[in-house]
């Protein structure tokens, strides 16, 4: 059996079960062994009945006390019994398992493991797993049993058995990490890690397995970003945008001075857009640090060079705020550049008019949500895309814009306080600029929760 083998080749998986596995993204043996558990059940020592806690899954051992009863309708039969030990008695119920009345003997010693909930008549253990005789529980004591993500009709037991068969019948995967790297970081061998993540013998095996697989995922992620960054660095700049003197005049007329950090970031953006390769830059700064005005400078400079620029916001509310503030700013300084708004909630008539102004090039700056990359939107000469971290402009969006013309410059804005090392990992395909200085006299940002009485009537 190899990783490319269909899961239908695994014993016990028919056409119906195969379709259920496909619903959770598992089609091959390789998919299955990399369908890692989302958690684990730890089979711990039994506790006295008097010490069971509400809301926890626990194990008890005691004798069946009194008569075993079956009640309810045929479609929902409830089996009830009481288990007693030296410390107390607890009620136990099962749903749709009437046969237990004949299976479990009065006075017999039994071990049960299940979730404890509170009912009107006190604490109750619901639908527990049965270990009868009790010695069977020792086989699972202190083990970690995998819990998988499921879909309706697919049980955890079916997934667990399928994974076990796949691992037992799979040819060993060739180790791809050099021994020198594994030894340096104390990493487990790959095949050991795959088995250990599904069926760890103990917590130590689980930790070693998880550490190796997490390392692999981060390594693949960072190498992919590095490859993407190398590719982007080689993208020829098809929109060489020089810094126009009108931008400096606009900065001079602003009622406030740009901070040194804003100035530095703006110069980095201007330099990128005028270089021989396409810009891909992340601007990181706290809320209130002045990222938006830097983005406006980039959009203005793009428009004054005769091209179009777009700003993609994560919500329609924010898109409208950007549109209104930029429009007011341009009116105040008599900047005759058409700013267009494009959101999903606009009427069909409004959208058609916006599409026409964008396609003919009359609209130079377009503000909107993901509506900006819909199929119906055709740009005249889109040279710059500014986007928010929540709608990070990724490879697919870049390709979408490229199909509408040529590859634009990309500017990503982030208000998340990401340490530089982590930012390099998360945004490895972007150059990074940081606005680490708040404008003078800027009021501090405060968060608070208010009720509806604060709304204007």
């Amino acid at each position: 059996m190899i990783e490319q083998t269909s899961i239908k080749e695994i014993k016990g998986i028919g056409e119906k079960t195969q379709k259920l596995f496909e619903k959770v993204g598992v089609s091959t043996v390789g998919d299955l062994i990399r369908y890692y558990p989302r958690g684990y059940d730890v089979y711990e020592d039994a506790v006295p009945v008097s010490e069971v806690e509400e809301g926890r899954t626990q194990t008890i051992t005691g004798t069946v006390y009194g008569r075993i009863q079956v009640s309810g309708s045929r479609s929902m039969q409830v089996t009830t019994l009481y288990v007693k030990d030296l410390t107390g008695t607890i009620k136990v119920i099962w749903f749709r398992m009437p046969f237990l009345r004949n299976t479990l003997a009065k006075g017999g010693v039994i071990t049960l493991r299940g979730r404890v909930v509170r009912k009107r008549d006190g604490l109750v253990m619901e639908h527990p797993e049965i270990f009868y005789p009790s010695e069977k529980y020792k086989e699972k004591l202190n083990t970690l049993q995998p819990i998988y993500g499921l879909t309706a009709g697919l049980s955890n037991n079916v997934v667990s058995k399928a994974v076990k068969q796949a691992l037992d019948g799979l040819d060993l995967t060739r180790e791809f990490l050099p021994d020198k790297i594994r030894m340096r970081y104390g990493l487990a061998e790959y095949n050991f890690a795959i088995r250990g993540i599904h069926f760890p013998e103990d917590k130590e095996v689980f930790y070693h397995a998880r550490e190796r697989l997490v390392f692999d995922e981060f390594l693949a992620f960072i190498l992919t970003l590095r490859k993407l960054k190398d590719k982007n660095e080689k993208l020829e700049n098809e929109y060489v945008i020089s810094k126009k003197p009108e931008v400096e005049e606009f900065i001079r007329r602003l009622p406030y001075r740009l901070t040194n950090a804003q100035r530095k970031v703006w110069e980095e953006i201007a330099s990128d857009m005028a270089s021989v390769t396409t810009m891909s830059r992340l601007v990181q700064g706290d809320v209130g640090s002045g990222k938006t005005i830097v983005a406006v400078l980039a959009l203005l400079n793009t428009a004054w060079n005769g091209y179009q620029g777009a700003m993609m916001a994560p919500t329609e509310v924010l898109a409208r705020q950007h549109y209104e503030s930029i429009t007011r700013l341009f009116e105040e300084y008599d900047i005759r550049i058409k700013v267009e708004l494009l959101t999903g909630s606009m009427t069909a008539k409004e959208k058609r008019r916006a599409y026409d102004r964008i396609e003919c090039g009359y609209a130079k700056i377009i503000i909107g949500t993901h509506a900006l990359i819909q199929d119906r939107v055709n740009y005249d000469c889109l040279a710059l895309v500014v986007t928010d971290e929540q709608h990070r402009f990724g490879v697919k969006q870049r390709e979408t814009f490229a199909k509408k013309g040529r590859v634009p410059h990309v500017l990503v804005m982030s208000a998340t306080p990401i340490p530089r090392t982590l930012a390099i990992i998360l945004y490895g395909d972007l150059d990074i600029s940081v606005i680490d200085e708040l404008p003078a006299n800027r009021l501090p940002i405060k968060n608070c929760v208010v009720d509806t009485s604060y709304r204007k009537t």
Side-chain angles (χ1 to χ4, degrees):
M1 189 182 296
I2 59 175
E3 289 195 12
Q4 289 73 32
T5 303
S6 169
I7 58 168
K8 199 175 181 181
E9 301 301 315
I10 296 175
K11 185 179 178 181
I13 297 182
E15 188 174 338
K16 182 179 178 181
T17 307
Q18 180 186 16
K19 289 180 179 178
L20 292 174
F21 270 108
E22 288 174 349
K23 279 188 177 182
V24 295
V26 175
S27 301
T28 67
V29 170
D31 295 334
L32 184 60
I33 64 172
R34 280 183 282 276
Y35 191 62
Y36 304 138
R38 63 176 176 81
Y40 299 86
D41 249 343
V42 182
Y43 285 68
E44 299 174 324
D45 290 323
V47 300
V49 169
S50 62
E51 295 181 15
V52 296
E53 299 177 26
E54 178 186 356
R56 291 191 61 187
T57 297
Q58 293 181 294
T59 304
I60 59 170
T61 297
T63 56
V64 178
Y65 176 70
R67 195 161 56 91
I68 302 172
Q69 297 180 328
V70 177
S71 60
S73 64
R74 179 174 294 182
S75 61
M76 179 52 81
Q77 291 178 309
V78 180
T79 303
T80 305
L81 62 76
Y82 290 85
V83 172
K84 182 179 183 180
D85 68 5
L86 295 175
T87 67
T89 304
I90 188 170
K91 181 179 179 180
V92 183
I93 61 174
W94 288 269
F95 306 104
R96 299 191 183 93
M97 297 179 71
F99 57 86
L100 290 176
R101 180 167 52 187
N102 302 320
T103 304
L104 302 176
K106 178 182 177 181
V109 178
I110 188 173
T111 295
L112 303 173
R113 182 176 185 274
R115 187 170 179 81
V116 180
V117 298
R118 185 171 294 280
K119 303 284 188 179
R120 284 180 297 178
D121 51 349
L123 294 178
V124 177
M125 181 174 281
E126 283 190 338
H127 211 77
E129 189 177 355
I130 304 169
F131 297 89
Y132 184 72
S134 291
E135 286 71 23
K136 286 188 176 181
Y137 187 71
K138 292 180 181 178
E139 297 173 8
K140 285 194 173 182
L141 187 61
N142 296 322
T143 62
L144 284 75
Q145 302 299 317
I147 301 173
Y148 295 93
L150 304 172
T151 188
L154 187 66
S155 71
N156 196 75
N157 191 43
V158 168
V159 179
S160 183
K161 284 184 177 180
V163 172
K164 191 166 289 187
Q165 283 191 61
L167 290 173
D168 290 342
L170 184 68
D171 294 336
L172 290 178
T173 301
R174 183 178 178 182
E175 176 61 68
F176 60 88
L177 275 184
D179 290 341
K180 184 178 179 181
I181 298 294
R182 286 203 305 110
M183 297 305 172
R184 181 190 301 174
Y185 296 104
L187 299 172
E189 193 270 335
Y190 179 77
N191 292 286
F192 173 88
I194 284 290
R195 290 182 176 275
I197 201 68
H198 286 286
F199 305 108
E201 296 175 5
D202 51 40
K203 290 183 179 180
E204 186 175 351
V205 170
F206 162 71
Y207 289 135
H208 278 302
R210 184 179 64 175
E211 184 180 35
R212 167 59 198 268
L213 296 175
V214 168
F215 181 93
D216 288 354
E217 289 184 7
F218 269 104
L219 178 63
F221 177 66
I222 292 170
L223 289 176
T224 302
L225 288 179
R226 180 62 180 269
K227 185 177 180 180
L228 180 60
K229 185 177 177 66
D230 289 344
K231 179 183 176 182
N232 288 343
E233 286 178 346
K234 296 173 184 176
L235 284 176
E236 183 181 351
N237 184 1
E238 298 187 56
Y239 296 105
V240 178
I241 299 174
S242 59
K243 188 164 66 171
K244 291 290 185 178
E246 291 92 332
V247 178
E248 286 301 319
E249 176 62 21
F250 173 74
I251 293 173
R252 189 186 62 78
R253 293 175 61 193
L254 287 173
Y256 52 84
R257 289 172 58 88
L258 295 182
T259 64
N260 292 333
Q262 286 174 312
R263 269 282 187 185
K264 179 176 179 292
V265 171
W266 161 236
E267 292 298 335
E268 289 172 344
I269 292 169
S271 176
D272 282 355
M273 297 176 77
S275 70
V276 296
T277 56
T278 303
M279 177 181 73
S280 294
R281 184 167 290 276
L282 166 71
V283 175
Q284 194 273 315
D286 292 339
V287 174
S289 62
K291 297 185 299 296
T292 303
I293 189 62
V294 173
V296 169
L297 295 178
L299 290 166
L300 262 178
N301 195 49
T302 301
W304 273 324
N305 272 270
Y307 301 120
Q308 291 173 308
M311 178 181 282
M312 190 185 296
T315 66
E316 292 200 11
V317 171
L318 188 56
R320 287 189 177 277
Q321 287 178 352
H322 282 318
Y323 171 76
E324 290 168 2
S325 62
I326 292 174
T327 301
R328 284 196 304 269
L329 187 67
F330 286 6
E331 287 176 353
E332 182 179 351
Y333 292 99
D334 194 27
I335 296 174
R336 299 181 182 181
I337 291 175
K338 172 59 179 172
V339 182
E340 191 70 53
L341 177 67
L342 184 59
T343 66
S345 66
M346 292 168 59
T347 66
K349 185 177 181 180
E350 289 173 333
K351 287 180 181 177
R352 281 196 303 272
R353 289 178 175 176
Y355 295 154
D356 291 341
R357 289 190 287 265
I358 293 169
E359 187 170 6
C360 73
Y362 176 64
K364 292 298 184 185
I365 296 177
I366 304 95
I367 312 294
T369 56
H370 250 101
L372 295 175
I373 58 173
Q374 297 302 308
D375 291 338
R376 293 184 180 182
V377 187
N378 295 310
Y379 294 90
D380 178 45
C381 50
L382 183 64
L384 171 66
V385 174
V386 181
T387 184
D388 186 278
E389 62 175 321
Q390 289 174 281
H391 271 199
R392 188 177 167 216
F393 188 69
V395 177
K396 290 184 178 179
Q397 288 88 346
R398 187 193 303 269
E399 289 176 352
T400 301
F401 275 116
K403 289 175 183 177
K404 296 177 182 295
R406 292 173 286 177
V407 179
H409 298 284
V410 177
L411 184 63
V412 179
M413 295 191 297
S414 170
T416 306
I418 313 170
R420 187 169 182 84
T421 303
L422 185 57
I424 291 170
I425 294 173
L426 295 176
Y427 298 98
D429 59 326
L430 304 174
D431 295 312
I432 300 173
S433 295
V434 180
I435 300 179
D436 52 5
E437 180 183 0
L438 289 176
N441 303 318
R442 178 62 58 93
L443 293 174
I445 303 297
K446 292 185 178 181
N447 295 322
C448 61
V449 177
V450 298
D451 59 27
T452 55
S453 65
Y454 278 74
R455 291 180 179 171
K456 293 181 180 179
T457 55

